[in-house]
Amino acid sequence: MPASLPDLHRFLTSVHPYDAIPAEELARLVEAFELHKFSAGQQVYGFGDALEGLYLIHSGQIEIRDENDVPVSLLGVRNSFGERGLIRDGHAATTARALEETVLLLLPKMAFETLIETNDAARRFFDRSRAPRPKSNDLATSRVEELMTRNPISCAPDTTVQQAARMMRDKRIAALCVTEGDQLVGILSVRDLAGRVLADAMALDTPANQVMTVGPLTLPPSAIGSDVLHAMMERKISHIPICESGRLIGMVSQTDLTRFQAVSSGELVSQIVHADTAEDMAIVTARIPQLLVQLVGAGNRHEVVTRLITDVADTATRRLLMLAEEKLGPPPVPYLWLACGSQGRQEQTGVSDQDNCLFLDDTVTDDQMPYFTALAQFVCDGLNTCGYVYCPGDMMATNPKWCQPLRVWRDYFHRWITQPDPMAQMLASVMFDLRPIGGTLSLFNDLQRETLIKASANSIFVAHMVGNSLKHTPPLGLLRGFATIRSGDHKNSLDLKHNGVVPVVDLGRIYALMGQIEPVNTRARLELAGGAGGLSLSGARDLLDAYDLIAETRLAHQARQVRRGDVPDNYMEPAELSDLERSHLRNAFVVIKSLQSALGHSRSVGG
């Protein structure tokens, strides 16, 4: 235990965010702290208790349990607790108990509120709610690493000018970087070839280093677009190599700048609408990773990014349906193409497969079914060509089971609800995320409303769905860490999809079922569920904040991968994050685990 104020001051300077507080402010804060001792087994506070303030562990261990008495954290020296309840409504969202002789430092409630109001570092650390972020789609303020072409084409100094010219022709570029190893020594452009080689009738075997521009202007990846624009205008150049510690890592050309400004969801949608083949569309959808980088870099919220990316998939689907009808002729009966999964929820990222189905008018005959078999094959093949790979579980309209008249679909949902075996639970979970994409919308509207009413009234079905939704758990280690993947290609990583986003998606689906909420987008479901779908208003706010943080962490991870030239995925090593980011991410996982526990508890009580 600190014996004096100087001892307490030294202790606080070893704890974030107090280490970032100005000296004079910290000196005043030290005087506000109170010392409290707790014996082994003694409760610090219980769930729902009015909190006296923020607790900081000086020595000992504290166990944190949720409202259903399920352990969620084991905290040690320098860990804080109680902030979530303080910021929310002043009441404890958990129960805290000492596991051994423990000394706590208590920052009274008023002092804590003053701290987060006046100190940015403290506010960022303790307040996990979603803060507004500056948004910019301006080329001039975008970082060069978001604009540049990575791994630019290069040649050795002794490459002949004829070989260099052929490389430029074959790669359809206007400049080559001249390198020795990974060090840039010059740049050779089409203008150099015309102005120096052709104009002076130099031999075709002249080495590149005799005509290249030596020591060209370079910029670091941290530069911004305006640096590029100004340099190009001032020096009348069209290419700038990007180097880091002397090592060539990229190139920015005038073409890159034009492409960056053109990469918008609206531009991609427009190009798809006018495409005549799936191959033409694939050229457009190949730019989705760059669209993701640009949207994330501009500060867009995750639901905006995923909505705009999904819009591209929706447009590609509708265009393929139109091309299919042009090839096969008019449909013999009305139909409706629907998407489920991430496309259905409008939550696609840089990694997406396809999940879809067909509803057919009840007047369809057996003789007419081959038309829809051919239509489904045409569209699913086209989507696969565009990068939306075939569903590994065959949840596609090409599967005869998922290409059926409306009466069969009604029977499917009736059986899933009245006979909820494990397969029925899985299928119902997928199909509760259906969203119409193209065709006759009236084939779905009545079925959706009827199904929600019947499903929410069947307590056995709801209980089974709750159980199914709890199979994906957040990756929490008890000792204030993460439970990372233990083996395989992604060892020591977090699966931000199946252990991060999916648990929230599952919760949102259950709350929508309980509250008969029609939207299928996860964030829309959670917003409407607060107070209406088995979720309290405060619980909804906490879960929304947790979901936002996890979803945006996932997108930021994918954007970093694309900028590195890697294929985006959902596996992130915790080391990619700062200590502050890891702390916030873990707290988001704790919120999810607590709400899963509450849902599981209500299910067991109800059963």
Side-chain angles (χ1 to χ4, degrees):
M1 179 174 68
S4 63
L5 290 182
D7 291 338
L8 177 55
H9 187 279
R10 280 193 294 272
F11 178 75
L12 289 178
T13 56
S14 69
V15 181
H16 192 71
Y18 307 103
D19 58 347
I21 295 176
E24 292 184 7
E25 185 178 346
L26 182 60
R28 292 192 297 270
L29 193 64
V30 165
E31 298 179 356
F33 273 96
E34 302 172 3
L35 291 173
H36 294 266
K37 294 182 180 180
F38 292 84
S39 57
Q42 185 177 356
Q43 182 170 289
V44 180
Y45 57 71
F47 176 81
D49 289 351
L51 290 165
E52 296 181 36
L54 175 74
Y55 293 92
L56 173 62
I57 303 174
H58 181 268
S59 63
Q61 283 190 322
I62 293 290
E63 181 186 58
I64 304 294
R65 290 176 172 259
D66 65 18
E67 62 180 297
N68 299 306
D69 205 34
V70 175
V72 293
S73 288
L74 184 62
L75 308 181
V77 176
R78 294 182 176 81
N79 287 151
S80 299
F81 59 97
E83 65 272 17
R84 183 155 66 96
L86 281 173
I87 291 172
R88 187 173 66 177
D89 59 8
H91 292 82
T94 55
T95 294
R97 181 177 289 104
L99 293 182
E100 59 187 48
E101 292 290 328
T102 299
V103 175
L104 300 179
L105 302 174
L106 173 67
L107 183 64
K109 182 179 178 181
M110 289 187 63
F112 173 73
E113 291 174 347
T114 300
L115 175 64
I116 61 174
E117 286 174 4
T118 59
N119 186 273
D120 290 339
R123 181 168 55 254
R124 286 194 301 270
F125 185 78
F126 291 117
D127 187 356
R128 279 91 186 189
S129 62
R130 197 181 208 198
R133 294 183 297 172
K135 180 180 175 182
S136 171
N137 280 313
D138 186 6
L139 170 65
T141 58
S142 297
R143 287 170 63 97
V144 163
E145 63 183 356
E146 296 170 13
L147 308 174
M148 70 184 186
T149 297
R150 291 185 174 272
N151 302 314
I153 305 299
S154 62
C155 69
D158 59 357
T159 301
T160 68
V161 291
Q162 184 178 49
Q163 291 171 328
R166 287 174 175 169
M167 290 175 68
M168 293 187 208
R169 178 198 63 192
D170 294 344
K171 298 295 183 179
R172 297 183 179 181
I173 56 177
L176 283 174
C177 291
V178 183
T179 57
E180 290 182 339
D182 60 2
Q183 300 295 304
L184 179 73
V185 295
I187 187 170
L188 180 66
S189 68
V190 170
R191 184 162 54 180
D192 294 326
L193 294 177
R196 297 175 184 174
V197 179
L198 290 178
D200 295 336
M202 297 179 71
L204 295 181
D205 61 356
T206 301
N209 60 3
Q210 290 189 19
V211 294
M212 70 182 186
T213 298
V214 179
L217 171 72
T218 66
L219 289 173
S222 58
I224 59 176
S226 62
D227 297 327
V228 177
L229 291 168
H230 295 164
M232 285 183 173
M233 288 186 290
E234 182 180 347
R235 295 172 180 253
K236 296 181 175 61
I237 57 177
S238 57
H239 295 79
I240 298 180
I242 308 302
C243 294
E244 191 169 46
S245 301
R247 183 171 60 89
L248 177 69
I249 63 170
M251 172 94 88
V252 177
S253 67
Q254 289 181 342
T255 301
D256 292 321
L257 302 184
T258 302
R259 185 184 299 117
F260 180 86
Q261 290 176 306
V263 176
S264 70
S265 61
E267 178 66 20
L268 299 190
V269 163
S270 175
Q271 292 180 14
I272 289 173
V273 166
H274 294 93
D276 292 325
T277 66
E279 288 73 20
D280 291 340
M281 291 184 227
I283 296 172
V284 181
T285 55
R287 298 163 64 191
I288 287 177
Q290 186 57 44
L291 174 63
L292 182 146
V293 169
Q294 186 168 327
L295 291 171
V296 171
N300 289 284
R301 297 185 184 279
H302 71 91
E303 70 269 24
V304 173
V305 176
T306 56
R307 170 63 182 271
L308 294 176
I309 290 175
T310 305
D311 284 348
V312 177
D314 290 356
T315 304
T317 304
R318 285 189 286 268
R319 181 58 180 158
L320 287 166
L321 287 169
M322 187 177 298
L323 293 174
E325 290 186 21
E326 290 177 3
K327 177 182 178 182
L328 302 172
V333 299
Y335 72 87
L336 179 63
W337 185 281
L338 302 99
C340 44
S342 60
Q343 184 183 359
R345 297 189 305 272
Q346 296 178 297
E347 294 166 5
Q348 287 189 316
T349 66
V351 189
S352 295
D353 59 6
Q354 56 174 294
D355 301 277
N356 44 62
C357 62
L358 266 174
F359 284 17
L360 309 178
D361 189 88
D362 280 338
T363 61
V364 68
T365 64
D366 290 344
D367 291 342
Q368 294 167 334
M369 289 301 294
Y371 175 95
F372 294 104
T373 299
L375 181 139
Q377 194 67 58
F378 183 94
V379 175
C380 288
D381 287 348
L383 289 172
N384 185 69
T385 298
C386 290
Y388 305 103
V389 298
Y390 298 120
C391 173
D394 202 21
M395 190 70 67
M396 297 181 294
T398 48
N399 184 337
K401 186 173 184 178
W402 310 129
C403 177
Q404 291 291 336
L406 183 57
R407 63 178 180 275
V408 175
W409 282 102
R410 289 185 189 278
D411 183 60
Y412 283 166
F413 278 100
H414 175 74
R415 283 190 285 112
W416 293 337
I417 293 169
T418 57
Q419 303 171 31
D421 58 32
M423 179 58 72
Q425 296 166 34
M426 185 276 290
L427 293 174
S429 294
V430 173
M431 294 304 177
F432 271 115
D433 293 348
L434 286 174
R435 182 173 60 88
I437 303 299
T440 305
L441 298 180
S442 59
L443 289 173
F444 179 65
N445 292 338
D446 291 342
L447 176 62
Q448 183 189 34
R449 284 191 291 270
E450 292 170 12
T451 302
L452 280 172
I453 292 171
K454 291 178 181 178
S456 61
N458 189 318
S459 59
I460 296 176
F461 174 74
V462 172
H464 278 282
M465 287 289 287
V466 168
N468 189 62
S469 74
L470 302 179
K471 292 179 180 177
H472 294 102
T473 57
L476 284 170
L478 193 59
L479 295 173
R480 199 64 176 179
F482 297 109
T484 57
I485 297 170
R486 295 183 178 180
S487 59
D489 294 340
H490 305 294
K491 184 179 180 181
N492 299 324
S493 296
L494 300 173
D495 185 342
L496 292 176
K497 177 181 178 181
H498 292 102
N499 299 117
V501 171
V502 169
V504 185
V505 170
D506 289 341
L507 287 172
R509 188 181 299 114
I510 294 301
Y511 296 136
L513 178 61
M514 292 176 171
Q516 298 181 26
I517 295 168
E518 292 187 7
V520 295
N521 175 264
T522 299
R523 203 170 198 285
R525 282 172 164 172
L526 297 179
E527 288 174 344
L528 293 171
L535 182 64
S536 67
L537 288 172
S538 60
R541 287 195 298 270
D542 284 348
L543 188 53
L544 279 167
D545 286 342
Y547 178 52
D548 291 339
L549 178 63
I550 295 166
E552 287 172 2
T553 299
R554 179 191 183 198
L555 286 179
H557 162 69
Q558 292 186 359
R560 286 193 296 271
Q561 290 180 304
V562 174
R563 284 196 292 267
R564 292 196 300 263
D566 298 332
V567 176
D569 61 27
N570 295 298
Y571 301 98
M572 183 193 73
E573 293 188 9
E576 286 189 33
L577 304 178
S578 67
D579 289 343
L580 174 61
E581 290 168 329
R582 286 197 295 271
S583 175
H584 283 194
L585 184 60
R586 190 182 189 283
N587 282 328
F589 290 147
V590 168
V591 169
I592 296 169
K593 183 175 181 180
S594 298
L595 288 168
Q596 284 185 327
S597 175
L599 196 60
H601 181 73
S602 65
R603 171 193 176 217
S604 62
V605 171

